[in-house]
């Protein structure tokens, strides 16, 4: 079975502390959020944890990686450390519920503020994702 109770409890603890979510770190490696995948952008490269047994293989994550390749954004599926997250140009989560959401603060420290720029990789991905959802919805409605 897949037990997500710890994720739910940690998400509630984060919300009780006045923040939106928590990021899991396992053996000094950033893995995922409580109900999302996490990615960073450094020097124009989108970096996210590889799809292994240590993360949920999110369908939004898969879509975002496909869109990144379509937009000619270099993708690197590799392990990354909390220090890289704190010094990334952009940081974001990907999930069905929140889609693509920039992270601009971690442990009270500003991070990834470049994600808020209109031409950021996060914003490009958000626009492409929205277009994909609209196209998929139109296809379903046509059936």
């Amino acid at each position: 079975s897949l037990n997500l109770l710890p994720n739910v409890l940690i998400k509630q603890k984060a919300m009780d502390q006045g923040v939106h979510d928590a990021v899991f770190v396992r053996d000094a490696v950033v893995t995922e959020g409580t109900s999302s995948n996490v990615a960073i952008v450094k020097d124009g490269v989108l970096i996210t944890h590889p799809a292994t047994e240590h993360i949920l293989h999110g369908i939004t994550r898969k879509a975002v990686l496909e869109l990144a390749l379509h937009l000619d954004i270099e993708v690197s599926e590799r392990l990354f450390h909390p220090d890289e997250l704190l010094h990334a140009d952009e940081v974001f989560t990907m999930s069905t519920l929140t889609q693509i959401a920039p992270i601009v603060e971690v442990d009270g420290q500003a991070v990834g503020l470049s994600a808020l720029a209109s031409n950021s990789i996060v914003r490009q991905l958000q626009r492409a994702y929205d277009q994909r959802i609209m196209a998929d919805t139109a296809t379903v409605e046509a059936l």
Side-chain angles (χ1 to χ4, degrees):
S1 74
L2 184 61
N3 183 359
L4 295 176
L5 182 59
N7 298 50
V8 171
L9 294 173
I10 291 171
K11 172 85 169 186
Q12 185 60 53
K13 184 177 179 179
M15 292 176 70
D16 290 347
Q17 294 177 1
V19 297
H20 295 286
D21 206 348
V23 173
F24 290 114
V25 176
R26 179 184 183 149
D27 299 326
V29 172
V30 175
T31 55
E32 60 189 348
T34 60
S35 60
S36 63
N37 295 106
V38 176
I40 62 173
V41 175
K42 187 65 176 178
D43 298 327
V45 179
L46 187 159
I47 303 164
T48 190
H49 194 287
T52 67
E53 71 279 4
H54 297 296
I55 68 166
L56 292 174
H57 298 205
I59 58 172
T60 303
R61 176 188 180 277
K62 180 180 177 191
V64 166
L65 296 181
E66 290 170 0
L67 291 169
L69 294 175
H70 179 74
L71 294 169
D72 292 325
I73 298 167
E74 185 179 344
V75 173
S76 177
E77 292 183 76
R78 68 165 177 82
L79 304 181
F80 63 94
H81 301 96
D83 190 57
E84 289 179 90
L85 182 135
L86 295 174
H87 295 97
D89 301 324
E90 304 176 39
V91 182
F92 65 99
T93 61
M94 305 164 273
S95 74
T96 301
L97 194 58
T98 59
Q99 298 180 349
I100 302 166
I103 297 174
V104 294
E105 184 178 307
V106 174
D107 290 337
Q109 176 181 334
V111 298
L113 295 178
S114 296
L116 301 178
S118 63
N119 63 340
S120 70
I121 287 176
V122 168
R123 296 296 188 215
Q124 291 176 53
L125 290 168
Q126 285 175 322
R127 287 189 293 270
Y129 190 82
D130 288 347
Q131 289 173 353
R132 181 172 177 171
I133 295 298
M134 294 301 288
D136 289 350
T137 303
T139 301
V140 170
E141 289 175 358
L143 298 176

